[in-house]
Amino acid sequence: MLYSWNLSGSGLNSFYSAAVLSGTESWKAWFFGSLDAGNFLTVDKPPLALMVMGLSCRVLGYGTWQMMAPMVVAALATIWILHSCVKRVFGHAAAAVAALVLALTPITVAINRDNNPDTLLVFLMVSGAALALRATRDGRLLPLLGSAACFGLAFNTKMLQGYIALPAVFVVYLYAARPALAKRIVNLLLAGVVLAVSSFWWAAAVSLVPASERPYIGGSTDGSASNLIMGYNGLGRIFGGDGNGGGGGGGGFSGTAGLGRMFNDILGGQISWLIPFAGIALVGGLVLCGRAPRTDLTRAALVLWGGWTALHYLTFALAEGTMHPYYTTALAPGIAALCGGGGVMLLRAFRADRRWVWVLPLGLGVTAVWAAVLLRRASGWNTWLWPAVLVVMALAIAGLFVFRSGASGLRLRLLAVSVAAAIAAAVAGPAAYAWSVPSSGAGGGMGGTNPTAGPSTGGGFGGPGGGSGGGRGFPGGGMPPGGQNGQNGQGAQSGQAPGGAGGMPPNGTGGTASDDASGTRQSGRMGGGMGGGASSELISYLKKHQDGATWLLAVSSSQGAAQLILSSGEPVISMWGWSGSDKAMTLARLKELVKNGELHYVQLGGGMGGGPGGGGSTVSSEVTAWVQKHGTAVKESDYSKSTNSATSSGSSSGSSAQSDQSAIYRLDPSDVS
């Protein structure tokens, strides 16, 4: 219910919505992950998640439910797989707790209602971890190869982020698997081959296609998949740069980099509720394992999920590049498994050994206190909840001590009630945050570009750390086109089309709008969950005068292009990509498109395209100067009945009255010398 309720009224990420739509119109766009069906530029991620959503929409038709159905299924399957994995090692009770914690993690609820690729990423990584643990337990090769294939597919969902947990998987299998050491090493080498094939098949296929016959790979600096892997979606995320910003701010979305980032005002309410308990459960569980045999599965599971959690925590906490709050959903499975498995181990030790009688109550007490801190950060929001959490947890801990010993049926039942009350108090805060998501859209008030859960609790570029306030973030990472640090997510130019909604399906209607200087319209969320879009008058004009061109218009950024693609159903060129640093459009390429009659209209500067500084200042300046010199500025009065014709004038040179660099220009083959 949390993952699917009111999906049709939620706002999705227009960037990915447009790419999915393009994939339903062109198999080439589907394979490459192109933003537009004309295949000029791809999104800045590998295409696996888009492929899955695109296939669903090809079969069922394009729309919110059709797009999100496979993501909701993947989210539910992740819970089931984690439950099954934890149950095999720690039992039914531990599995139930782990499933509950994962299902109610606030940021997980928010992202599972969104078309960002993280839901599929987590599903594939959890599948890989579960198969690796099965291979460790059974000593069989096939599950290990399946694990490698899953992590390889995770790479094709979000590239290097899909590898974060791999060191933990490697260590666990190498140390704890049943076969002899030589056999374990051989098996890992074979798994490495599978990992390489499942990871790099798409990048290899892209490299085999001549650059002139494939779209520019968005997010790269040279149009290649290898550059995207190592740069923008690789080391750039850790150290900044390559379109990811830098200086420790995480692109401004998640606060300053540092070990305490997960607990700050932005991320705390999204992911940190049970991190302290998970840490205590991990350490306690490992100590309780003592000198167990090398192949002990309980210790192997603790090391795997503990390593998963630690590796993700350190990566996200210390990343100086783009760091969106929703990335932290990858922490949730590790936290959930440790709370379930380690928590049950602490409960057993609490009952059986006086030396351990203080550990479980300490973990529960810390959890309640931290929950109260997080809830108090949301001023005026459910003010009754934090006292209730403290009172219920205090009573539950008292019940644990009172009914700790004894084997009578009544005492066991009262002990079970105390445990249930402690669990309820521990998840009450996350559940309240999670419950707020369906009522406010895909990701609270942040929309599909930067989904979060719960109330507003802190600042940050792209809006606060909660769902109810502030501007919107950007899915591609880095700064918005033309933006400066500190400007929130509507973009640097006042005319930029809104980015938080998912974009309207072609021929959609609804919503209200007000014209801006460039003739675009800033629309509110519209019906059907795919809202937002550009002026219908402008789109009608461009379609009427398209004259057989492949692309309806070329704009500066992917945000503007996505809105136009969704509103018009036609291919639209994004010249500089999402972060504004792509060098997809060169002057030579533009002249070629115009000469061949494939493109007639270019919008410069603001409006739907963002600022003019994309693609490298030299390249963009050349394009801008040439378009202004050779193009004919379109009068706004030509397509907008409500506009005074005196506000714009036609000209074939750069002296047009539309000197704000947000004009639309008409170009014809005769304009190319």
Side-chain angles (χ1 to χ4, degrees):
M1 182 179 67
L2 284 172
Y3 298 164
S4 61
W5 183 266
N6 195 31
L7 267 183
S8 60
S10 64
L12 301 181
N13 188 325
S14 60
F15 187 53
Y16 298 122
S17 296
V20 171
L21 176 61
S22 298
T24 65
E25 298 172 346
S26 163
W27 282 111
K28 183 177 180 180
W30 177 84
F31 177 79
F32 284 104
S34 298
L35 178 66
D36 62 283
N39 292 287
F40 183 84
L41 177 79
T42 72
V43 301
D44 57 1
K45 298 290 184 295
L48 187 62
L50 300 176
M51 288 178 171
V52 172
M53 292 185 284
L55 286 176
S56 177
C57 288
R58 275 187 177 268
V59 173
L60 303 175
Y62 182 79
T64 300
W65 274 99
Q66 297 92 319
M67 189 186 308
M68 289 304 302
M71 293 297 164
V72 172
V73 170
L76 298 176
T78 303
I79 298 172
W80 173 69
I81 292 169
L82 185 72
H83 180 279
S84 178
C85 182
V86 172
K87 182 180 68 175
R88 286 192 179 98
V89 181
F90 299 101
H92 288 277
V97 171
L100 181 66
V101 170
L102 178 59
L104 294 179
T105 299
I107 195 61
T108 297
V109 175
I111 196 62
N112 287 347
R113 296 173 52 83
D114 188 74
N115 58 350
N116 275 277
D118 295 72
T119 296
L120 184 63
L121 171 76
V122 173
F123 163 72
L124 290 168
M125 291 194 301
V126 170
S127 299
L131 285 170
L133 201 59
R134 176 176 290 188
T136 301
R137 179 192 66 189
D138 298 339
R140 296 166 54 208
L141 176 61
L142 188 59
L144 184 65
L145 299 182
S147 172
C150 286
F151 280 106
L153 292 175
F155 178 89
N156 280 299
T157 305
K158 282 196 81 175
M159 291 193 168
L160 290 181
Q161 187 179 340
Y163 282 178
I164 292 177
L166 267 181
V169 171
F170 176 85
V171 167
V172 165
Y173 183 85
L174 182 63
Y175 177 76
R178 293 184 180 278
L181 178 60
K183 182 65 172 178
R184 298 199 299 271
I185 293 174
V186 171
N187 288 349
L188 284 173
L189 290 175
L190 292 174
V193 174
V194 174
L195 177 68
V197 172
S198 60
S199 297
F200 300 116
W201 61 268
W202 180 78
V206 169
S207 67
L208 293 174
V209 179
S212 60
E213 298 179 16
R214 68 174 189 245
Y216 187 97
I217 304 301
S220 69
T221 59
D222 60 4
S224 70
S226 59
N227 180 269
L228 179 66
I229 293 170
M230 297 307 300
Y232 179 74
N233 277 335
L235 298 180
R237 299 281 168 163
I238 304 299
F239 301 111
D242 291 298
N244 284 281
F253 297 101
S254 299
T256 304
L259 290 176
R261 176 186 269 177
M262 296 302 117
F263 299 93
N264 68 20
D265 287 349
I266 302 172
L267 299 181
Q270 305 303 317
I271 191 63
S272 73
W273 302 86
L274 291 166
I275 289 179
F277 186 87
I280 293 171
L282 171 62
V283 174
L286 289 174
V287 173
L288 286 169
C289 287
R291 298 182 179 180
R294 176 184 64 82
T295 57
D296 180 64
L297 192 62
T298 299
R299 182 172 56 200
L302 288 172
V303 171
L304 189 148
W305 294 115
W308 172 300
T309 304
L311 289 166
H312 279 93
Y313 185 99
L314 292 173
T315 300
F316 296 150
L318 301 179
E320 296 190 5
T322 301
M323 174 61 205
H324 286 279
Y326 61 80
Y327 295 175
T328 61
T329 186
L331 267 167
I335 295 171
L338 293 175
C339 287
V344 165
M345 293 180 71
L346 292 183
L347 177 61
R348 292 169 181 163
F350 169 80
R351 296 196 67 210
D353 191 335
R354 285 185 173 275
R355 295 173 298 176
W356 286 83
V357 75
W358 58 273
V359 180
L360 178 62
L362 173 65
L364 294 174
V366 169
T367 299
V369 171
W370 180 239
V373 171
L374 291 174
L375 291 169
R376 284 174 59 84
R377 286 179 179 176
S379 178
W381 184 78
N382 290 336
T383 55
W384 59 270
L385 186 54
W386 70 265
V389 168
L390 291 177
V391 170
V392 173
M393 186 63 82
L395 293 174
I397 292 173
L400 290 176
F401 280 111
V402 171
F403 305 114
R404 169 177 170 267
S405 57
S408 67
L410 178 60
R411 293 183 70 87
L412 289 176
R413 285 193 292 270
L414 291 175
L415 179 65
V417 170
S418 300
V419 171
I423 294 172
V427 301
Y433 265 59
W435 185 258
S436 71
V437 178
S439 62
S440 55
M446 301 292 283
T449 55
N450 200 23
T452 54
S456 175
T457 56
F461 175 65
S468 63
R472 300 180 187 276
F474 290 85
M479 300 290 294
Q484 300 294 326
N485 195 13
Q487 293 169 318
N488 68 20
Q490 294 293 353
Q493 306 293 332
S494 62
Q496 183 170 326
M504 243 176 79
N507 303 320
T509 58
T512 58
S514 58
D515 291 325
D516 66 18
S518 65
T520 64
R521 290 189 173 186
Q522 294 197 341
S523 307
R525 182 175 294 170
M526 301 184 185
M530 311 292 285
S535 163
S536 59
E537 293 174 325
L538 172 60
I539 290 173
S540 297
Y541 175 87
L542 293 172
K543 283 186 173 182
K544 182 178 179 181
H545 298 87
Q546 193 169 356
D547 297 335
T550 302
W551 288 277
L552 188 69
L553 179 68
V555 299
S556 295
S557 79
S558 295
Q559 184 75 340
Q563 291 289 345
L564 278 165
I565 290 168
L566 291 162
S567 296
S568 68
E570 296 289 333
V572 175
I573 286 176
S574 166
M575 293 188 286
W576 317 125
W578 187 262
S579 65
S581 61
D582 293 0
K583 300 175 182 178
M585 181 65 83
T586 62
L587 181 56
R589 177 64 170 148
L590 177 61
K591 289 181 178 180
E592 178 187 6
L593 294 175
V594 173
K595 183 178 180 179
N596 294 337
E598 297 176 276
L599 175 68
H600 291 307
Y601 292 94
V602 176
Q603 184 182 43
L604 299 177
M608 293 158 290
S617 58
T618 301
V619 176
S620 62
S621 297
E622 289 177 350
V623 169
T624 298
W626 188 85
V627 170
Q628 289 178 328
K629 180 178 180 180
H630 296 279
T632 301
V634 177
K635 298 178 182 179
E636 192 172 346
S637 58
D638 288 345
Y639 56 83
S640 178
K641 297 178 182 179
S642 60
T643 302
N644 188 332
S645 60
T647 61
S648 60
S649 60
S651 174
S652 61
S653 71
S655 61
S656 166
Q658 288 182 308
S659 58
D660 61 355
Q661 294 195 358
S662 62
I664 295 175
Y665 290 82
R666 167 85 186 201
L667 294 160
D668 291 296
S670 59
D671 295 320
V672 182
S673 58

